[in-house]
Amino acid sequence: DENQTSASRSFSITVQNDAPSNHFNTVLYTGTNAAQSISSLNFSPGLVWIKSRSNGTSHEHALVDSVRGVQKVLNSDTTAAEGTTTNGVSSFDSDGFTVGSNGLMNNTNDTYVAWNFKAGGAAVANTDGTISTQVSVNTTSGFSISKYTGNGVSGATFAHGLGSQVNLSIVKRTDATAYWYVYSSLLPSNNNLYLNTSDGKQADGVMLGGNTTTVSISASTSVNANGGQYVAYNFTSKPGFSKVGSYTGTGAAGQYVITGFEPAFVMVKTTSSTSNWFILDNKRNSNNPRNSYLMANSGAAQATAGTGINFLSNGFELESTAFNDPADWIYIAFAADGST
């Protein structure tokens, strides 16, 4: 539990020689229904997560990554299998990505947000687990993409390549309908969350655990059907760059959560009760309060939550009770430049 009152806050400084925006950044753009280059990044992304801000009608989230290939699209708010499109994201470029006329990602006059995560370039084989895995790893920011074929054996493991304890692993079957399963080292053993629903933690024993090299999975077809195809997005906390953490809601404004850096992106979710996966960032709101939110488990358009969250130099302040219900919460945050 990382709750802090304003009187007891402590500030830690991490010295680094690399800017967080070289590894994660958010970009905003307006749809044109014609190919356009989104070129304001300092890196070539490994994962691009796109959502229409203005249109919530049949506008699911679109997740595209370099390991599965740019034409392969998943939707965090549905259980649908991977789709293929030739007019969506057409390339990951040296400073961003190019998107075509696909209505989900580039509808005329719709406003969009894209959250961009740098991975480790071309995926390589990793045999740390009992399942051979293709992995692309960014050890600086604590993010990796794993792709594997299931073997149907309970207790099988796939590699994440992060080199430290995996704090969050989000698995999706790509060749069939299935829930998005979420493992976290902050949850009780054998408990999972689901990225596509608002459910609290469930003791379903589907994802079994994780360590410094692998994630352990059951024989559930959602994560390990024999011959099934899967992708996992894996995260570990890295000082000055990223943090997977928790807090206990108070139901009142003014609670501080310490990350060790000023956030550029925060996603929060209750684990002990029902709530959405709320996503806030420093581009849709360039100043405090950060109160324009989208939900990973919903295709709804952007909404506003009162006073929202304040991004501070060493963490964030929960000003809106919408993100501070009396419950157990989990969060993942990525850092802004100049925050450490």
Side-chain angles (χ1 to χ4, degrees), residues 155-172:
T157 57
F158 67 84
H160 55 72
L162 294 168
S164 58
Q165 172 66 50
V166 58
N167 298 130
L168 193 73
S169 182
I170 304 171
V171 173
K172 178 69 177 76

Side-chain angles (χ1 to χ4, degrees), residues 17-299:
N17 297 314
D18 197 358
S21 65
N22 292 333
H23 301 272
F24 170 84
N25 213 337
T26 301
V27 295
L28 309 179
Y29 64 95
T30 301
T32 63
N33 199 37
Q36 62 169 316
S37 175
I38 311 300
S39 57
S40 58
L41 299 179
N42 297 330
F43 59 89
S44 179
L47 168 64
V48 175
W49 182 342
I50 297 171
K51 178 66 179 76
S52 172
R53 302 163 59 198
S54 56
N55 195 331
T57 304
S58 300
H59 273 63
E60 295 89 4
H61 294 251
L63 284 78
V64 180
D65 66 68
S66 58
V67 175
R68 292 180 298 119
V70 293
Q71 294 185 352
K72 305 297 185 181
V73 183
L74 288 167
N75 314 114
S76 65
D77 53 309
T78 79
T79 60
E82 175 183 82
T84 301
T85 177
T86 58
N87 63 347
V89 174
S90 59
S91 64
F92 292 133
D93 309 323
S94 62
D95 56 358
F97 60 95
T98 298
V99 64
S101 59
N102 183 278
L104 194 64
M105 310 177 204
N106 197 16
N107 195 47
T108 302
N109 294 327
D110 280 3
T111 57
Y112 290 87
V113 59
W115 302 293
N116 304 274
F117 303 78
K118 182 180 180 180
V124 297
N126 186 314
T127 58
D128 284 341
T130 60
I131 296 174
S132 182
T133 312
Q134 293 289 314
V135 184
S136 178
V137 186
N138 183 340
T139 55
T140 299
S141 68
F143 169 66
S144 72
I145 304 169
S146 301
K147 180 182 176 183
Y148 65 91
T149 300
N151 63 9
V153 177
S154 184
T157 57
F158 67 84
H160 55 72
L162 294 168
S164 58
Q165 172 66 50
V166 58
N167 298 130
L168 193 73
S169 182
I170 304 171
V171 173
K172 178 69 177 76
R173 184 170 185 178
T174 61
D175 63 336
T177 299
Y179 272 33
W180 290 75
Y181 272 82
V182 181
Y183 158 78
S184 176
S185 60
L186 302 180
L187 294 174
S189 178
N190 296 331
N191 276 240
N192 299 163
L193 293 166
Y194 316 118
L195 188 66
N196 58 288
T197 80
S198 61
D199 295 340
K201 66 180 184 292
Q202 303 293 318
D204 55 19
V206 171
M207 296 182 70
L208 302 175
N211 55 36
T212 58
T213 56
T214 63
V215 177
S216 178
I217 50 181
S218 71
S220 166
T221 58
S222 292
V223 297
N224 192 19
N226 189 25
Q229 301 299 305
Y230 300 88
V231 67
Y233 302 124
N234 312 295
F235 303 87
T236 188
S237 299
K238 290 291 184 176
F241 289 92
S242 64
K243 183 67 181 291
V244 178
S246 63
Y247 61 91
T248 300
T250 64
Q255 178 173 213
Y256 294 89
V257 180
I258 303 303
T259 62
F261 52 76
E262 179 180 335
F265 168 100
V266 173
M267 180 165 67
V268 299
K269 166 78 176 77
T270 57
T271 62
S272 58
S273 62
T274 299
S275 84
N276 296 302
W277 293 83
F278 297 107
I279 304 174
L280 303 100
D281 61 64
N282 65 354
K283 295 298 175 63
R284 287 179 293 139
N285 296 121
S286 58
N287 296 292
N288 289 328
R290 321 298 171 137
N291 59 358
S292 297
Y293 68 86
L294 290 160
M295 298 170 288
N297 57 297
S298 171

